[in-house]
Amino acid sequence: MTTRIRPSVRALHAYTPGEQPAGEGVLKLNTNENPYPPSPRVAEALARFAADDLRTYPDPQCRELRERLAERHGCGPDQVVVGNGSDEILALCLRAFVRRDRAAGWFDPSYSLYPVLAAIEDLPARPVSLTEDFAWTDPDLGEADLFFVTHPNAPTSLEFPKARIADLADRFSGVLVVDEAYVDFAETDCLDLALSRDNVIVTRSFSKSWSLAGARLGYAVGPSELIGALFKIKDSYNVSRLAQTVGLAALSDPETFDARIAAIRSTRGTATDALRTRGFWVADSRTNFIWTRPPAPHRAQ
Ligand code: PMP
């Protein structure tokens, strides 16, 4: 039978998004969302938003948002690119940095979207197994042009030693993408690596710590040369006016942000202790979710 669909797309095992339960009485957290609402300034900005502004396209450069993010991170706006969720940035990185005959790598287990994005691009995949207790193993990056490090990692909730990440960046001739979707709940971050190395990009998300998963907003910080390449290939209007508006409103209220993070860390500690008291094995989570195994004879399934 003939088909018009590319073989790699035909063979693709598509990413399965988390279940979207409907109805009342459900606090949806299964894609690691934030249980708290975004800053009240987000609601205020939406109330002020003029529907007529939707007639025209959004700022393709996301100038104001990039300026605020650059201030927050102590870098230039040319070192920041904003995307339709950090997922878009991850896909752009593969398209911008991996040559056709070269590979992309990541740790296993880590974010299950990476293999899907690589398969869509027809790129050879180089998953690198973590140790049995989900700790770092030095990857052999032979023919890889790009390696994703999820820090802290998902689904394990654990941080990697930052010195190992820095050392990997220094030994790697390709681009190291440090996916920091959960980093606001962690102890260490790799932003300084992205601002001091010519081959490190850090990606961040508004979906978890900023309570804005529904707005679809993420960004990358890194050397202006690499960020410029992502700019070159992104869709012109990849971030809607509404998303830019709510992102700016959220960033203008770091106090609410800090309070929500503190509340989630505190709940994480209480929940971890309660589960351990009941005999569960629980990883020392540095994220907004918990990686746990129930005591025998119970099974997680
Ligand atoms: N990276 C990791 C490790 C994630 O778990 C997620 C959320 N599923 C993302 C990136 C994507 O986040 P965003 O909503 O910003 O696209």
Side-chain angles (χ1 to χ4, degrees):
M1 213 176 67
T2 58
T3 173
R4 296 181 175 81
I5 299 167
R6 268 173 49 215
S8 55
V9 175
R10 239 185 312 153
L12 186 71
H13 292 284
Y15 179 74
T16 319
E19 190 186 334
Q20 303 284 331
E24 309 241 320
V26 175
L27 178 57
K28 188 183 171 320
L29 295 173
N30 62 328
T31 23
N32 304 334
E33 292 96 332
N34 196 310
Y36 299 107
S39 156
R41 295 211 190 149
V42 167
E44 287 159 24
L46 284 173
R48 274 198 314 273
F49 191 90
D52 187 53
D53 284 348
L54 292 178
R55 220 172 24 81
T56 55
Y57 286 97
D59 174 9
Q61 309 272 347
C62 280
R63 253 177 257 270
E64 215 181 328
L65 198 47
R66 281 170 47 235
E67 276 165 21
R68 291 294 89 73
L69 289 167
E71 277 164 19
R72 188 174 166 85
H73 296 312
C75 63
D78 61 332
Q79 294 180 284
V80 183
V81 62
V82 183
N84 181 31
S86 55
D87 282 348
E88 183 193 20
I89 309 260
L90 302 173
L92 288 174
C93 286
L94 286 173
R95 281 157 57 196
F97 306 130
V98 189
R99 288 165 286 185
R100 284 289 159 220
D101 53 343
R102 304 271 291 183
W106 49 80
F107 286 121
D108 183 30
S110 70
Y111 187 24
S112 54
L113 182 69
Y114 307 141
V116 178
L117 294 178
I120 291 170
E121 296 298 322
D122 259 330
L123 297 171
R126 294 286 177 273
V128 174
S129 293
L130 294 171
T131 66
E132 240 173 49
D133 44 6
F134 313 114
W136 180 276
T137 35
D138 268 322
D140 169 13
L141 298 176
E143 77 253 21
D145 272 348
L146 181 148
F147 194 80
F148 290 115
V149 174
T150 322
H151 180 81
N153 197 12
T156 68
S157 78
L158 298 168
E159 277 185 50
F160 292 119
K162 188 170 164 186
R164 305 297 289 267
I165 300 176
D167 178 58
L168 179 65
D170 291 340
R171 287 187 291 108
F172 186 32
S173 59
V175 176
L176 190 66
V177 177
V178 187
D179 177 345
E180 294 196 336
Y182 299 100
V183 84
D184 294 315
F185 307 101
E187 305 295 317
T188 62
D189 70 77
C190 294
L191 209 94
D192 60 309
L193 301 182
L195 298 180
S196 61
R197 308 289 201 281
D198 64 5
N199 66 335
V200 178
I201 285 188
V202 157
T203 60
R204 297 267 175 106
S205 175
F206 276 80
S207 300
K208 322 292 181 181
S209 51
W210 294 96
S211 307
L212 286 175
R216 306 305 298 127
L217 204 54
Y219 62 99
V221 176
S224 52
E225 188 191 6
L226 300 185
I227 296 296
L230 299 178
F231 250 101
K232 234 177 172 174
I233 64 167
K234 77 174 184 66
D235 286 348
S236 303
Y237 307 110
N238 61 328
V239 181
S240 77
R241 270 184 189 278
L242 279 166
Q244 294 187 37
T245 302
V246 296
L248 280 166
L251 282 175
S252 76
D253 185 8
E255 292 78 18
T256 299
F257 174 82
D258 290 343
R260 305 266 202 259
I261 300 285
I264 289 168
R265 285 181 191 221
S266 161
T267 308
R268 175 178 79 192
T270 318
T272 299
D273 292 346
L275 286 170
R276 283 183 180 156
T277 304
R278 287 159 178 78
F280 284 63
W281 171 85
V282 188
D284 284 320
S285 171
R286 296 290 181 263
T287 60
N288 65 342
F289 57 88
I290 279 172
W291 177 242
T292 183
R293 189 184 300 124
H298 305 291
R299 302 186 47 171
Q301 244 172 354

